[in-house]
């Protein structure tokens, strides 16, 4: 099936990560988002009918930071509403350009849903971690109302 | 009926800053030169990073940090006369996945010097000393002038993959 194993390369905070393309609900450019100038955890919202979907800005260590010069946001499906991750750049990688191997991060999982990464791609002296979309979505959702 | 014969064990001495480990060579997939590691976001402090090895991502750990404190080691492991020798060339020892773990879960330990091969005979193993309450260290054994720690792989697996 077309796009079944294609990946998005998501660059932010000086690092890059992978996400299965089919796990992405939408990629929206900054000019189509409502940028939050008022502070708080949310960097921007995407209007969706009566709802609005929050997007968050993370650094390379996946810590919440204030939004900077990001260009777009990747949204993931989640109940009760989708959540997003802002990025400097999002690229679609053809299947031939990426080979993702399974990867289990050591140590205690940083979220209740488990580890944020389920795979990684190794090549060109670089390791790109692949997000587990369900865990990433839950992780982002909790950023809006940290416990 | 004759008593069972204990075969000599081919083992690898892995020197770290805190102690020297002695592990069966069969546990080790490869010894490689130290290389750049990718930081693992939100990882524990004892994960130094992730390296690419044979197209696989391999987590590299600091044994010293896993163990937490050198003071908790059995005395003769931290003795300057019998403890680890520091020779300078850092390597990464890539281990096969621990028992019961997924086939892709190779991991690496950083050394402070070149690992050394040993053939350990039954006499040396008979002199091994249990080290209760030492976390991931099961026993210590003396080879020549050096005292080395034999890791408890089950305990190590419990730390790496709780």
């Amino acid at each position: 099936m077309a796009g079944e194993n294609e990946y998005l390369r998501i660059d932010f905070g000086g690092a890059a990560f992978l996400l299965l393309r089919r796990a992405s609900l939408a990629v929206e450019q900054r000019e189509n988002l409502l940028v939050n100038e008022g502070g708080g955890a949310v960097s921007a919202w995407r209007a969706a009918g009566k709802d609005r979907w929050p997007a968050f800005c993370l650094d390379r260590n996946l810590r919440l930071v204030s939004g900077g010069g990001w260009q777009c946001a990747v949204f993931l499906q989640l109940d009760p509403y989708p959540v997003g991750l802002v990025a400097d750049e999002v690229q679609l990688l053809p299947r031939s350009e990426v080979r993702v191997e399974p990867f289990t991060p050591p140590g205690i999982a940083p979220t209740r849903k488990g580890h944020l990464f389920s795979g990684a791609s190794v090549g060109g002296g670089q390791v790109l971690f692949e997000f587990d979309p369900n865990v990433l979505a839950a992780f982002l959702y909790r950023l809006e109302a940290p416990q | 009926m004759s008593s069972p014969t204990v075969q000599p064990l081919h083992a690898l001495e892995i020197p770290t800053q805190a102690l020297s480990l002695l592990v069966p060579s069969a546990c080790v997939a490869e010894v490689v030169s130290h290389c750049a590691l990718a930081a693992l976001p939100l990882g524990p402090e004892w994960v130094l990073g992730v390296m690419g090895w044979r197209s696989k991502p391999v987590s590299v750990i600091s044994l010293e940090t896993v163990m937490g404190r050198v003071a908790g080691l059995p005395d003769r492991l931290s003795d300057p006369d019998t403890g680890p020798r520091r020779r300078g060339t850092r390597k990464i020892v890539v281990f096969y996945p621990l028992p019961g773990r997924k086939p892709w879960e190779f991991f690496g330990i950083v050394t402070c010097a070149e690992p050394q091969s040993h053939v350990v005979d039954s006499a040396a193993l008979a002199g091994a000393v249990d080290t209760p309450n030492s976390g991931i260290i099961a026993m210590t054994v003396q080879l020549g002038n050096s005292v080395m720690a034999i890791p408890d792989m089950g305990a190590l697996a419990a730390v790496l993959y709780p």
Side-chain angles (χ1 to χ4, degrees), chain A residues 49-61:
Chain A
K50 291 185 293 182
D51 297 328
R52 57 181 195 173
W53 305 346
F56 302 89
C57 186
L58 303 179
D59 67 10
R60 62 184 305 137
N61 297 313

Side-chain angles (χ1 to χ4, degrees), chain B residues 115-145:
Chain B
Q116 303 290 316
S117 294
H118 294 278
V119 178
V120 184
D121 59 23
S122 54
L125 290 176
V129 178
D130 282 330
T131 56
N133 305 317
S134 293
I136 61 171
I137 302 303
M139 308 178 99
T140 61
V141 63
Q142 181 144 9
L143 292 183
N145 292 328

Side-chain angles (χ1 to χ4, degrees), chain A residues 19-20 23-26 53 74-78 81-85 131-134 136-137 140:
Chain A
L19 178 71
L20 264 176
S24 161
L25 185 63
W53 305 346
V74 180
F75 289 90
L76 301 120
Q77 186 61 267
L78 185 74
Y81 47 78
V83 290
L85 173 63
F131 283 121
D132 178 311
N134 294 324
L136 176 62
L140 293 170

Side-chain angles (χ1 to χ4, degrees), chain B residues 4 12 21-22 35 38-39 64 68 81 85 90 95 107 109 114 151 156:
Chain B
L12 197 64
L21 284 181
L22 189 69
C35 58
E64 296 89 339
D81 293 329
R85 297 181 296 272
R90 287 199 306 166
F95 282 77
F107 66 98
I109 289 179
E114 189 86 40
L156 185 58

